[in-house]
Amino acid sequence: MPFFALVMLEGRMRNAMANIERTEGLSRKDDMEKFVEAFKDRDCGYNEYIVKDGKTLSDICNNDKTFEDDFRHYLAGFDGKLKELLGIERGTNDSKYLNLDGIIAELRKKGVLLQYVTKWAQIDLSPYNNSEITTLEEHIKRKWADISAETAGEQYTPEDIIALIAEIVAAKIDIPKDDFVALYDPTCGGANLLFGVADRLKNISGYKYIQTFGQDFNDALYALASIESKFRENSRIEYGNTLTEGKFNDKEFDVVVANPPYGIPWKGFEKEVRQNQTGQFAFYPSVSDGQLLFLQHNVNHLWKDKGIVVEVNNGSSLFSGDAGSGESNIRKYIFDNDWVEAIVQMPSDEFFNTGIVTYLWILNKKKPARRKDKVILINASDLWQPLKKNKGSKRKEMNAEHRKRIVDSLVRFEDNGISKIFDKWHFYFNKQQIQLTEVDKNGRYVSQSLGCTGETFKIKDADIVAVYTSGSWKWPLDDEKEWKNQEEMVRLRHITSPTIVSTSEYFYWADNTNGVIMRTSVATGVHELLGVGSITVTYNRTRRGDKTCTVKIADSTYKDFEIIPYHPDAEQNSKDILAFMGRYISKPYRLLDNTVGVEVNFNKEFYVPETVEPVDSILAEIAEIDKELANLEKEFGV
């Protein structure tokens, strides 16, 4: 990539020189000073060796004896900004960017610098326009980039997806063709998505003026995008971490396109993100994946009441995180504001280094009236054709007809073979926490039997005659005679339990074998089943040193939750929750906290049941196999 940038710069500078001669009538030979001034006015970078001396890489490679000295002068001829981007003569800046100095040092050490530069000098990139250069860069990055498991979520966007995004943007923006369109990509990489969409909006859709803004944190990719921007009108590329030091936080845009990294942790700069004062993050997802941070960043960089976002995400942004989690709250925040117009499920195997299914989030801050509180899901998973030759993991691509079906579905906004319209509330749900009371096989529970439904039954000190816990009688403390009397009564009443509480009227005890609480009459010895529950005994000393006893008999309860459809009217939502509980919950319950979540599940919405072969057909096939086996047995004399 450093040498690609080098020969690309040379070709662009040669084109600029030819253009000056053609359009301004200036000649480098006749009036060098004015010619150089006109070149610098174009603000596309400068190299004295190329512009003033008229030398090229090819020229300096023709003489191997002077090559080293000439090549050194050639590199030194670039202006300060281009030197920084190329990685030449780095000073105090820690960023290597394209690190050309380092690459040259390695080539020189191996003794192949001249041969290597000569090969590149034979490549002439001057005939290629901006869009074609971007495509060439993409090809190089895809074919030779060092892609590891750690960077699998940092995708280069394929050309067919760029085309689809551009066509979606062109179909959705409401801007006159002769007005400016401000286009932003916060994770622009080498800017193939940013510039690819811009070129298509201009060359195909007819928008005259496209302003492009981008930012990236990768040294080499930022440098490529920044160099490319010098040869484009109204383009600005910045370096840095968008989430912690956004260079465009003071700007608003008409369109934001993005293919942010997914599955990439943001733990390394979590503190800075959480301390961000711009207000762009309403909630924070898990530190293991930052793509939903970018979704918030992007929608908050649109104008207050207009603009669209088209962002590529993986599936986790649709459904990861439980109700109340950061992920679910981010989705709820975006749905609450009614910014979601469409979500498109893309085919698998569309990217160069992963086969996962991806999704396009299409956010719109100026939805038409008939689309208010509506969302269209478009299932484009089957809209693809196989590549003639795989490109890494990319085995599929969308052709123009596939893309047209998606855009038409979005524009028409109606149910068809690949799309469905939903109220946005369809994707909301109640996660209702409940406390359930355990009951025995007859539906009894302790507090109900004791006449204090839902409450703990307490036995006062004054009513307690004796308490048996941990293998001995503990109450009253000094009445050994009473303990023996209690032991005899318990034996006669056939009570065996690790916990027994004796009062003047009843024995309360835990039947651990059956997991229930029993009550036995002191006078008659009649056993009564109270239900499922527990007995707890606690002892406390008073200030005078007396020991008191507290006995509590409580229901056996546990906490659970139910997922219940959501209604936007609070009163109706409460009624629906109670109706659901009455319909499906048979045990006594108590409502606890309710949390509203949001998730999107394409598999559920576009589920196609598997066709099962009829039983008669299967039986007929089995019968036929039986006949064949019988014939084989006869044939072999079995």
Side-chain angles (χ1 to χ4, degrees), residues 40-56:
K40 289 182 176 180
D41 285 344
R42 300 204 169 200
D43 197 26
C44 60
Y46 180 72
N47 184 311
E48 185 169 325
Y49 203 80
I50 297 172
V51 178
K52 196 170 183 179
D53 298 343
K55 297 288 185 69
T56 65

Side-chain angles (χ1 to χ4, degrees), residues 109 205 335 367 405-406 411 532 548 550:
K109 181 179 178 181
S205 301
F335 273 81
K367 292 168 70 171
R405 286 192 65 187
I406 294 170
V411 171
V532 181
T548 63
T550 303

Side-chain angles (χ1 to χ4, degrees), residues 74-197:
Y74 177 89
L75 297 177
F78 285 106
D79 63 71
K81 182 60 178 179
L82 286 178
K83 283 181 181 178
E84 179 186 26
L85 295 173
L86 290 168
I88 301 170
E89 300 178 8
R90 281 190 296 125
T92 57
N93 191 338
D94 290 334
S95 297
K96 296 179 180 179
Y97 297 123
L98 285 170
N99 194 28
L100 190 58
D101 269 355
I103 301 297
I104 290 171
E106 285 294 315
L107 294 170
R108 185 180 285 114
K109 181 179 178 181
K110 294 175 181 178
V112 295
L113 177 61
L114 174 58
Q115 298 94 310
Y116 192 82
V117 175
T118 301
K119 286 290 186 182
W120 276 102
Q122 294 168 1
I123 299 172
D124 181 10
L125 294 179
S126 61
Y128 298 99
N129 62 30
N130 288 343
S131 182
E132 291 165 338
I133 287 292
T134 303
T135 302
L136 287 169
E137 285 182 5
E138 172 59 31
H139 173 71
I140 292 173
K141 286 182 288 185
R142 178 194 63 77
K143 192 169 180 63
W144 287 288
D146 178 19
I147 299 171
S148 63
E150 288 75 17
T151 61
E154 299 179 16
Q155 296 293 340
Y156 303 129
T157 312
E159 189 172 353
D160 55 328
I161 295 182
I162 294 174
L164 173 61
I165 292 174
E167 288 158 10
I168 289 171
V169 171
K172 293 305 302 176
I173 56 175
D174 184 20
I175 299 174
K177 295 292 180 68
D178 57 354
D179 203 350
F180 277 94
V181 177
L183 178 65
Y184 171 53
D185 184 347
T187 55
C188 68
N192 71 310
L193 173 59
L194 176 65
F195 294 148
V197 170

Side-chain angles (χ1 to χ4, degrees), residues 168-447:
I168 289 171
V169 171
K172 293 305 302 176
I173 56 175
D174 184 20
I175 299 174
K177 295 292 180 68
D178 57 354
D179 203 350
F180 277 94
V181 177
L183 178 65
Y184 171 53
D185 184 347
T187 55
C188 68
N192 71 310
L193 173 59
L194 176 65
F195 294 148
V197 170
D199 290 340
R200 286 167 174 81
L201 288 178
K202 187 171 185 178
N203 301 329
I204 299 175
S205 301
Y207 288 91
K208 292 184 179 179
Y209 308 108
I210 312 292
Q211 298 171 300
T212 51
F213 303 85
Q215 182 170 342
D216 205 84
F217 199 32
N218 179 287
D219 283 9
L221 296 180
Y222 155 72
L224 287 171
S226 185
I227 290 172
E228 173 71 10
S229 72
K230 289 182 172 295
F231 298 92
R232 290 175 175 267
E233 294 181 356
N234 302 306
S235 185
R236 175 182 160 197
I237 305 296
E238 294 287 352
Y239 176 77
N241 187 329
T242 303
L243 298 177
T244 60
E245 49 178 333
K247 300 300 175 65
F248 301 103
N249 285 339
D250 59 337
K251 291 190 68 66
E252 293 169 313
F253 303 98
D254 300 304
V255 181
V256 181
V257 296
N259 183 10
Y262 31 79
I264 302 298
W266 54 283
K267 186 177 179 62
F269 45 90
E270 179 183 5
K271 180 180 178 181
E272 292 85 349
V273 170
R274 292 186 181 276
Q275 291 178 347
N276 188 286
Q277 299 297 311
T278 61
Q280 61 185 307
F281 304 123
F283 299 96
Y284 302 95
S286 165
V287 294
S288 63
D289 188 353
Q291 65 184 318
L292 283 170
L293 290 174
F294 286 105
L295 197 63
Q296 294 179 90
H297 170 88
N298 292 341
V299 75
N300 279 281
H301 274 70
L302 296 178
W303 296 98
K304 183 178 180 181
D305 56 356
K306 65 177 182 177
I308 69 166
V309 171
V310 184
E311 179 175 323
V312 184
N313 278 187
N314 69 4
S316 69
S317 65
L318 300 177
F319 49 74
S320 64
D322 202 355
S325 67
E327 291 86 348
S328 180
N329 284 338
I330 292 169
R331 289 190 291 270
K332 185 174 181 296
Y333 162 67
I334 293 172
F335 273 81
D336 282 350
N337 282 284
D338 197 26
W339 292 328
V340 182
E341 182 164 5
I343 302 175
V344 183
Q345 178 173 297
M346 306 291 284
S348 61
D349 303 305
E350 261 283 3
F351 283 88
F352 301 125
N353 60 330
T354 179
I356 64 171
V357 176
T358 54
Y359 299 81
L360 296 185
W361 284 75
I362 302 172
L363 310 183
N364 189 347
K365 277 197 171 181
K366 193 178 181 181
K367 292 168 70 171
R370 76 182 188 91
R371 302 189 184 193
K372 294 293 184 184
D373 294 330
K374 302 284 186 182
V375 176
I376 183 171
L377 298 188
I378 302 174
N379 179 14
S381 58
D382 294 327
L383 299 183
W384 57 274
Q385 64 184 23
L387 288 174
K388 293 181 180 179
K389 182 179 179 182
N390 293 352
K391 298 177 180 178
S393 295
K394 183 175 174 61
R395 300 187 301 108
K396 303 173 183 177
E397 67 177 355
M398 289 181 162
N399 61 30
E401 183 58 34
H402 297 144
R403 302 196 301 269
K404 185 176 185 302
R405 286 192 65 187
I406 294 170
V407 176
D408 285 349
S409 295
L410 175 62
V411 171
R412 293 174 182 171
F413 210 77
E414 60 189 18
D415 290 350
N416 60 38
I418 65 168
S419 64
K420 293 182 180 180
I421 309 295
F422 298 91
D423 288 334
K424 74 176 186 181
W425 312 111
H426 175 80
F427 304 105
Y428 288 61
F429 63 91
N430 295 291
K431 183 179 180 181
Q432 178 63 61
Q433 287 192 324
I434 53 176
Q435 180 174 290
L436 290 168
T437 299
E438 287 280 32
V439 297
D440 66 10
K441 60 184 179 180
N442 296 313
R444 284 172 293 200
Y445 55 100
V446 169
S447 63

Side-chain angles (χ1 to χ4, degrees), residues 487-507:
E487 286 178 358
E488 180 64 16
M489 291 181 67
V490 164
R491 185 182 65 79
L492 292 173
R493 299 291 185 262
H494 304 288
I495 299 172
T496 56
S497 174
T499 302
I500 304 170
V501 179
S502 173
T503 68
S504 58
E505 294 185 72
Y506 298 102
F507 290 104

